[in-house]
């Protein structure tokens, strides 16, 4: 099984509802350094699983829909907490939609996606799914 | 599948018995930077797999039973080498016991645990298990 | 010259006024991973420049005044942009006040402080000053 | 399941054929920081999955066949692009051959190998296989 | 004293002439992860030392003149080895020329530049200079 | 000013005398990941400040005198605590002696040495000196 990983980041503000979040119930923010991994069992004739440049652009495009925003005002997350887990799933699902729609071109052998959001030097969350 | 990872560390002394260990047969020590990952397939109503603050405290508590010690004198490891592999399994098993005992509260959907012990910039060992 | 560095982090929301900031003019947020370095030319009788545990607590206390907040509402920064540079200076100045006030105890030989704020895997800002 | 990971690196020149590679069609080079992970379900009587010193030497020996070379002139890759994915598979396959041939000694419980090639702070590729 | 650092990278091929270089006398390559730090004593009215976005673009532009090339064929280095030290100085000098020429706009308070080239997880070289 | 940095590590056991050290008064251990930087203002005819391979070997040799030991039994530190600061100075001083004695060969332009000991992901200490 092959994997190709690209890294980018986003800068968001948000607050979290629920006693469990303690001080994070107040409006605050985070840098999420995001690793997106594309997985598959075979390489194409060029010897690649995905075009890594396009993979990087795809991740950048997905994060462009989130970065430099206050996620409390984002209708897509209405009624939900934008926890690191929720955001990891959101990014993975958007990447999966795009890959299925052909965003990575002829490299059609991607069978899974994993997304890791690093929120500090001490904590991260991830979501992985089949395509 | 979701994952949440917290990082902490421990500082231990130990020696290792067996020719295979070469100079590590002498009493020496190591900083283990420890990544503990909790895995599960579903989030709770708050949008989290585990309360990351409690997860960090749980890891700290488990490592408190190991750090600042000479593991050669620790009865729990009598007759066994405290290799990085053995310590990774030990930490994962203690975390699993605590999670099963409810240490992470209502977030009962953790189905697996993975522990990575980084022993230098060149080497690490891991142990993963179901809950 | 000796140096002792401790690391912690803070999670803040803010917006930045001025065309130069482009999309960062909107409310967003950041994780700042903070390295605080204490410098001095001599060690005390225990062989330390500072008590590293107290240094870590001091940094945590200073960051507690910033983390989990919307800095746009913080009177201390009224009329100023809370850029990474400004925050690095702010943290260094608060640390310096505390060190001069004796917060690190008998270790009175600290002559300089440097603070680095890592805002992503691609960018950081720093401020260093004499005590 | 246990894992033991060792890190080393190689410095290679190469060019890549195919429009998809853009500027990487020209002769250029890369540092690949290589993480090789050995996996298995049981430890030996010494408490180890593999002798980590031998594992490190094995990785170094495999990389010695690649580093400080122009891979365009390497007959083993004739007619193929030496992409990060291809090199990850090559390293994993060479490690697997050696492990099966007994290069890690009595520790015969290795059941899988994973190789990650970090090509920059932004991208990496991996290959994992059973033994 | 303030500092602002941006990170980028380049992928080059080269060979080094001289017995001291051992196996690096053969054509090989490297990823250089490059940290460029701009230093100065004062912030502008926006609270910044430099526009970090422009600083990142400037670094990218300077590295664009080096990446994806065989430096053995680059007339700028004719008769010189393109060691990590030489490349660090080259990047710092090009950045300094551009900053003096106004590439960072009204932020004219940059008084020094430091460039670090990381060539692996084990080695790096740096060059720092006044403006 | 040029700098060349090499990285290695050591694994030591020790205890620290003095109430200030809290739990670290007990015998424990640490991995110190060590960065040694050689500084100088000029390159030699080969374009290098130091032969980086020899610099790495020199650091390895100096650390060989410390690693896999219980520093409590090391006569060189009798009556002193082997704090991170003390060890950083010790390593820098040994490197300086060797450089002055010609260990780095004809590259005689090293004018300063800086040593950083990383003791965890949260703390490090450094010592820098002229040659």
């Amino acid at each position: 099984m092959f994997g190709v990983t690209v890294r980018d980041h986003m800068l968001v503000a948000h607050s979290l509802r629920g006693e469990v979040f303690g001080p994070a119930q107040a409006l605050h923010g985070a840098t999420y350094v995001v690793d997106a991994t594309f997985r598959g069992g075979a390489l194409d004739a060029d010897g690649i699983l995905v075009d890594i440049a396009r993979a990087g652009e795809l991740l950048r495009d997905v994060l462009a829909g989130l970065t430099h925003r206050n996620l409390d005002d984002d209708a897509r997350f209405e009624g939900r907490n934008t926890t690191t887990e929720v955001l990891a799933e959101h990014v993975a699902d958007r990447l999966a939609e795009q890959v299925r729609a052909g965003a990575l071109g002829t490299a059609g052998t991607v069978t899974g996606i994993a997304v890791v959001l690093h929120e500090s030097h001490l904590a991260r969350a991830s979501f992985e799914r089949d395509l």
Side-chain angles (χ1 to χ4, degrees), chain A:
Chain A
M1 176 66 69
F2 293 94
V4 170
T5 303
V6 290
R7 174 169 285 194
D8 206 323
H9 71 294
M10 59 177 169
L11 301 163
V12 301
H14 64 161
S15 59
L16 300 170
R17 289 174 307 280
E19 268 183 52
V20 68
F21 297 108
Q25 295 176 86
L27 181 66
H28 64 287
T31 305
Y32 293 107
V33 175
V34 182
D35 288 325
T37 298
F38 303 89
R39 294 191 173 133
L43 304 183
D44 70 9
D46 288 319
I48 57 174
L49 177 67
V50 296
D51 176 353
I52 203 165
R54 288 181 78 168
E57 289 161 16
L58 175 56
L59 178 59
R60 189 190 57 200
D61 289 348
V62 166
L63 299 185
L66 294 165
T67 194
H68 289 111
R69 295 192 183 199
N70 179 356
L71 299 181
D72 293 353
D73 298 336
D74 191 321
R76 294 171 295 179
F77 300 107
E78 198 173 347
R80 302 176 68 199
N81 278 320
T82 53
T83 60
T84 315
E85 293 95 317
V86 166
L87 292 172
E89 185 181 28
H90 176 85
V91 172
D93 287 351
R94 295 297 81 69
L95 290 172
E97 288 170 5
Q98 292 296 312
V99 171
R100 280 195 308 253
L104 295 183
T106 57
T109 55
V110 174
T111 56
I113 285 179
V115 169
V116 181
L117 266 66
H118 305 262
E119 68 178 65
S120 75
H121 62 304
L122 297 179
R124 63 182 190 267
S126 62
F127 182 73
E128 52 187 298
R129 50 164 288 171
D130 293 334
L131 208 66

